[in-house]
Amino acid sequence: MTTPLRIALAGLGTVGSGVIRLINENGAMIAQRAGRPIEVVAISARNRDRDRGVDLSPYKWVDDMTDFASDPDVDCVVEMIGGSDGPALELARNSLRGGKSFVTANKAMIAHHGMELAGLAENQNLALKYEAAVAGGIPVIKGLREGASANRIERVYGILNGTCNYILTTMEKHGSDFNAVLKDAQDLGYAEADPSFDIDGVDAAHKLAILAALSFGTAVDFDGVEIAGIRNIMAADIGQAKALGYRIRLLGMARIDDGKLFQRVNPYLVPESHPLAHIDGSTNAVVAEGNFSGRLMFQGAGAGDGPTASAVVADLIDIARGDSGTVFAMPVDEMAQSERAESGNRTGKSYIRFVVADKPGVLAEITAAMRDAEVSIESLIQTEKTEEGSVLISMVTHQSMERDVVLSLQKLSDSSSLQGAPVVMHLLSDED
Ligand SMILES: NC(=O)c1ccc[n+]([C@@H]2O[C@H](COP(=O)([O-])OP(=O)(O)OC[C@H]3O[C@@H](n4cnc5c(N)ncnc54)[C@H](OP(=O)(O)O)[C@@H]3O)[C@@H](O)[C@H]2O)c1
């Protein structure tokens, strides 16, 4: 057998220690598939004494992981730390400048700095791989970059955050409220102590920006993603969506609209007939619609040590085989910054839910604002009283310009009848 691919591993938490376990358990088979062994030669994390449930004694411990970049015994640096900037970014830059291939699971870093890092890698013919950064164990990067590469992708969308999907589908199953389910999810370890990146949609937006770049050949544009999370979704919304034949899912949605890039993370009402409506718990799913392939759906575990390590080691196998490839689906120099499409120009049906004071005339006030903004109401689904004595009013609009829906809500922004900002969700359709 030929020389091993020698890797240095920075970060030994959930994913980093999962990578060591996987290489230990499947090493012989991996060596056959890769054509040579993958060997961990050095490791680093913050706390050398922490028990990580895996024997680390065979590996050289390095206190300062920046040393990996200049270590002649290292071919490839694997970053399993996290964070868009800070030590992860410094390590990525130094490693690539030092001539090392680089593998990461860090979506935040790729979403913010992927173009710069891809430039560094491609200029030197080095691999920069990040399969685990999007949808954990699902081989969607490979699927889009290789399997679907003959297609023009019309749109790419999906359930990109397992924590949100767990919360929404648990609310759906038990009729429970958001805060109660979030607390349970935290107790069970499905949600972080600070869950804001997940529940406010930022994590899904990182992944969406990467998927959009891969799918459309446009520069990664995280700042162009419109982001809304799931904090304001009530059990009543889920019940009312169900009554209409829909389920609520937080979706990342990207497409090219008249030559401009549209990217949004938002809760959507997904028709029960759509496969995404049946993705439950912490599972992730990505749909890509190609002009020749038709609809492709990638589904599986979006997180966890095993699935994420599986994606990381698949990247290492590619590198061991000598496949550095382009970082995205085309050379980074040819990926142009796209103009951003305005969501206001989009047309579709929207679900709108108001919490209002229980007093006469409120419904008339809302419907007048909508009429003035030329938004017509297809159905007023229900009005129901909350325990606090407020009233929930939910409705679905006819096909409307999104700009007009926003205008109708602006007309109500000073209303003393409204208690809190209305919640708006789009109904997923083939035109989204
Ligand atoms: N967890 C998942 O299921 C999952 C799924 C997909 C992608 N990812 C991505 O994978 C990456 C790692 O996630 P994780 O869940 O494994 O994180 P984690 O469990 O928190 O582990 C992070 C590791 O990085 C080390 N570290 C943190 N700051 C450091 C610093 N300044 N210098 C040196 N080492 C430092 C920590 O050291 P100590 O242990 O010594 O504190 C720890 O070993 C992130 O980019 C994440 O987004 C995770």
Side-chain angles (χ1 to χ4, degrees), residues 302-380:
D305 57 342
T308 313
S310 154
V312 171
V313 178
D315 281 345
L316 291 170
I317 292 174
D318 276 350
I319 294 172
R321 287 171 175 158
D323 166 22
S324 53
T326 53
V327 176
F328 298 99
M330 62 168 73
V332 69
D333 292 346
E334 293 173 30
M335 296 170 71
Q337 190 74 44
S338 174
E339 262 188 80
R340 296 174 185 165
E342 271 186 52
S343 57
N345 292 335
R346 302 187 62 76
T347 304
K349 292 185 181 185
S350 300
Y351 167 96
I352 311 174
R353 188 256 298 143
F354 301 89
V355 180
V356 298
D358 186 12
K359 60 179 190 186
V362 180
L363 188 56
E365 191 183 343
I366 291 174
T367 51
M370 300 189 76
R371 181 202 57 220
D372 293 349
E374 298 185 7
V375 176
S376 65
I377 300 167
E378 182 180 274
S379 54
L380 184 74

Side-chain angles (χ1 to χ4, degrees), residues 10-17 44-48 50 52 61 63 65 79-83 87 104-108 132-137 192 203 207 302-305 308:
L12 297 165
T14 306
V15 185
S17 42
S44 181
R46 268 180 308 210
N47 181 349
R48 185 171 186 168
R50 179 167 295 164
R52 302 171 192 279
W61 178 275
D63 282 326
M65 62 186 164
E79 180 274 310
M80 300 287 128
I81 298 168
T104 181
N106 187 336
K107 50 244 161 181
V134 179
E192 304 278 343
D203 175 78
K207 298 167 189 168
D305 57 342
T308 313

Side-chain angles (χ1 to χ4, degrees), residues 220-231:
V220 183
D221 183 16
F222 170 74
D223 292 335
V225 186
E226 282 180 23
I227 309 176
I230 62 167
R231 267 181 209 271

Side-chain angles (χ1 to χ4, degrees), residues 97-109:
R97 287 187 186 126
K100 313 292 184 198
S101 299
F102 196 78
V103 173
T104 181
N106 187 336
K107 50 244 161 181
M109 183 173 73

Side-chain angles (χ1 to χ4, degrees), residues 413-429:
S413 58
D414 292 332
S415 166
S416 60
S417 311
L418 262 57
Q419 298 177 342
V423 164
V424 181
M425 291 182 260
H426 308 285
L427 276 59
L428 182 69
S429 76

